[in-house]
Amino acid sequence: MTTDAHTATRGVGVVVVAAGSGSRLGAGMPKAFVPLAGRPLLGWALDTVAQVPGLRSVVVVAPADLADPGGPAWAGIDPPPGTHVVAGGAERTDSVAAGLAALDPGCDVVLVHDAARCLTPVAVFARVVDAVRAGAAGVVPGIPVVDTVKSVDARGVVTGTPDRGALRAVQTPQGFRRAVLESAHAGGAGATDDAALVEQLGHDVLVVDGDARAFKVTTVDDLAHAERLVAGA
Ligand code: C5P
């Protein structure tokens, strides 16, 4: 029946990219597996992914040698039922493409989320899903930029000062109509986020409100900040 067929092809798929080396954190292990209050960052991220409204499928993209969810590195990680785990690639874009290829075909909305943004509140996920469902081809959470930002040339000489009021620092999850993201990955490479690939195709990408807690754990200081947040300090 029409309604059942329609329902069968609607659902949210989340690709959680966790295959980065985390060399800037210097923990001697891939960043997503570094403990935060005794549990890997990836575990914290998946706790929230499990609560995403309309969730249908989750794919975790892990380093090739940590792609066995029964392995010791996965202690303290409780993926939502049915989660697939696949091996990542050399660049973040390669990892996203690997995750996208493994996603349940019944997902019409895809979110791509950095495991390193492990404390992103579920409300951010919900805002992104709602905006894609409302018709946007691509949606990113963003927050106002507090620093003045300069562009520079190869010598470090300033070439421009963009109007700060028009800038946003963007976060994840980034959400897309599935067909749009698949086309973007089929043609593009070398971007630092998925929205840039979608922008290159000429689609509008909408910014919704991000959240300070969606920061990316990159440095030792970021990890200490995350520890304070989960301790409620
Ligand atoms: O390196 P960066 O912090 O920008 O990575 C953002 C996210 O992308 C992290 O969660 C990281 O694990 C993931 N990533 C990946 N595969 C790569 C590089 C990064 O899954 N080759």
Side-chain angles (χ1 to χ4, degrees), residues 2 5 28 36 43 57 88 108 118 126-127 131 143 164 168 184 188 198 208 229:
T2 312
L36 164 61
S57 173
D108 62 335
C118 56
R127 279 198 285 278
I143 55 176
R164 190 171 63 187
R168 298 290 180 274
V198 168
V208 296
L229 285 177

Side-chain angles (χ1 to χ4, degrees), residues 56-79:
R56 181 178 176 123
S57 173
V58 179
V59 177
V60 174
V61 187
D65 57 344
L66 296 176
D68 172 9
W74 283 70
I77 301 173
D78 185 21

Side-chain angles (χ1 to χ4, degrees), residues 111-112 124 127-129 131-132 136-143 168-176 193-196 198-199 204-211:
L111 305 186
V112 181
V124 179
R127 279 198 285 278
V128 172
V129 170
V132 178
V139 180
V140 299
I143 55 176
R168 298 290 180 274
V170 304
Q171 306 172 325
T172 73
Q174 300 192 344
F176 308 92
D193 75 349
D194 299 284
V198 168
E199 291 154 33
D204 284 345
V205 172
L206 181 70
V207 179
V208 296
D209 285 345
D211 191 295

Side-chain angles (χ1 to χ4, degrees), residues 5 10 16 22 53 65 113 117 133 165 168 172 187 212 224:
R10 281 172 63 88
V16 181
D65 57 344
H113 185 49
R117 297 184 189 274
R133 286 261 175 256
R168 298 290 180 274
T172 73

Side-chain angles (χ1 to χ4, degrees), residues 34-119:
V34 170
L36 164 61
R39 297 176 60 220
L41 299 187
L42 176 60
W44 292 90
L46 288 174
D47 289 353
T48 309
V49 168
Q51 303 167 42
V52 170
L55 183 68
R56 181 178 176 123
S57 173
V58 179
V59 177
V60 174
V61 187
D65 57 344
L66 296 176
D68 172 9
W74 283 70
I77 301 173
D78 185 21
T83 295
H84 294 283
V85 183
V86 299
E91 304 293 334
R92 185 184 181 282
T93 317
D94 304 320
S95 295
V96 175
L100 196 50
L103 208 56
D104 178 333
C107 302
D108 62 335
V109 172
V110 178
L111 305 186
V112 181
H113 185 49
D114 292 340
R117 297 184 189 274
C118 56
L119 299 183

